[in-house]
Amino acid sequence: MTPKWIGLIAAVGVFGFWFLYTALADNPNAAAKQSDTDEKISVMILDGQMVFEGHRWAQTTPVMKAILQSCGRFKVDVVTSPQRGRPNAEFRPPFEKYDVIVINYEGDPWPVAVQEAFVEYMKNGGGLVVVHAADNAFAQWPQWNRMIGFGGWGGRDEKSGPMIWWQDGRVVKDDSPGPGGYHGQRADWPITIRDPNHPIMQGLPPVWMHCCDELYSRMRGPGENLHVLATGRQSPQQQGTGRDEICLLTVEYGRGRVFHTTLGHDTQAMSCVGFVVTFQRGTEWAASGKVTLTDVPDDFPTETKTSMRTIKTE
Ligand code: ZN
């Protein structure tokens, strides 16, 4: 073989190596990026029971499911607990199979094995979304109260922790005695963003009118590792406290992420576009620590106008 041929083969070899190297270096990354956004987040909505008949999980769960599935980012399964007062010893929701658990439940305590499995799931980096009356649940379960930051009703009082609200740009904790959990009239009231840089809040108007909902107030709990995203305010004319009540928050629990929305009393309140967008984004954030659902829809409410959407259920 002449030196010319050796040179040519070497050149082809070098080119081939470069081609393979760039192909391997670029394409797998591209494929990974593709699947990051293509792969759907798996959601379990855990529902059932509910003490107060105004909280109808059988109506709200299909709306929650439709809100999540409509944006194409989630695949949703529903797991329903045994009815109130019925034996639940065999109840074993498979938390570990899901990226995030949405709780639409209030009722009997879960069996100890389920509580332990849920704590384990969260400490190991699980995701939890707490919607409205779910924060009435499990007043006597300390780990749950840490996960949700604060809750109301269910016998909560000063022993459950201080009352927590927002004032002068910071969280206020008030140890004075009294029951936990209060709301004024169902009405429209403004929501003010307190952390516009958080991924769940990005691009949303600083103040928007939320439609026809209860504003949870006098909430009590440990309030550890709590991060305030937004507050709502109801005037005394609406039987509100006149204070800035925390209505959208996150909580860090072990390696797990919690998104807690006190909004969403019923299907009507859930059809507020402000609820829809923050519930979708909050669920994505609790599952992954990121928000890719960054579009702000044209029908988002404004500082002076509420905006509702018709949610089509299956
Ligand atoms: Zn309610």
Side-chain angles (χ1 to χ4, degrees), residues 44-49 57 61 78-83 91 105:
M44 176 202 292
I45 299 180
L46 197 166
D47 68 5
Q49 305 216 30
W57 56 266
T61 291
V78 177
V79 173
T80 301
S81 110
Q83 287 175 30
F91 181 52
Y105 175 94

Side-chain angles (χ1 to χ4, degrees), residues 74-240:
F74 306 97
K75 60 177 190 300
V76 182
D77 291 334
V78 177
V79 173
T80 301
S81 110
Q83 287 175 30
R84 191 168 175 75
R86 294 277 181 84
N88 66 359
E90 304 304 314
F91 181 52
R92 288 285 182 280
F95 301 121
E96 65 289 348
K97 289 188 185 162
Y98 293 88
D99 298 316
V100 57
I101 314 295
V102 176
I103 302 287
N104 189 23
Y105 175 94
E106 181 205 355
D108 296 337
W110 290 341
V112 171
V114 176
Q115 294 183 7
E116 287 174 353
F118 192 59
V119 167
E120 202 58 24
Y121 166 79
M122 286 305 295
K123 284 193 168 161
N124 288 328
L128 166 63
V129 176
V130 180
V131 179
H132 192 65
D135 68 22
N136 299 186
F138 307 136
Q140 306 302 324
W141 181 14
Q143 299 295 340
W144 170 256
N145 287 315
R146 276 197 203 138
M147 289 180 209
I148 67 176
F150 57 57
W153 298 274
R156 284 175 172 86
D157 61 15
E158 61 277 10
K159 290 189 235 37
S160 316
M163 272 186 280
I164 301 173
W165 72 92
W166 180 267
Q167 193 175 308
D168 301 328
R170 64 182 185 88
V171 173
V172 175
K173 294 183 180 176
D174 176 352
D175 286 318
S176 49
Y182 171 82
H183 61 77
Q185 286 170 8
R186 276 198 75 172
D188 303 344
W189 35 267
I191 290 180
T192 303
I193 293 185
R194 301 300 175 178
D195 182 1
N197 297 318
H198 193 281
I200 298 172
M201 294 289 113
Q202 57 193 308
L204 303 183
V207 179
W208 80 82
M209 283 303 285
H210 180 49
C211 170
C212 48
D213 208 347
E214 298 167 341
L215 175 58
Y216 276 6
S217 325
R218 296 180 197 152
M219 302 296 270
R220 289 183 176 275
E224 294 163 7
N225 305 322
L226 176 153
H227 185 79
V228 177
L229 303 180
T231 60
R233 185 192 276 237
Q234 268 197 307
S235 65
Q237 288 76 32
Q238 293 180 331
Q239 269 84 55

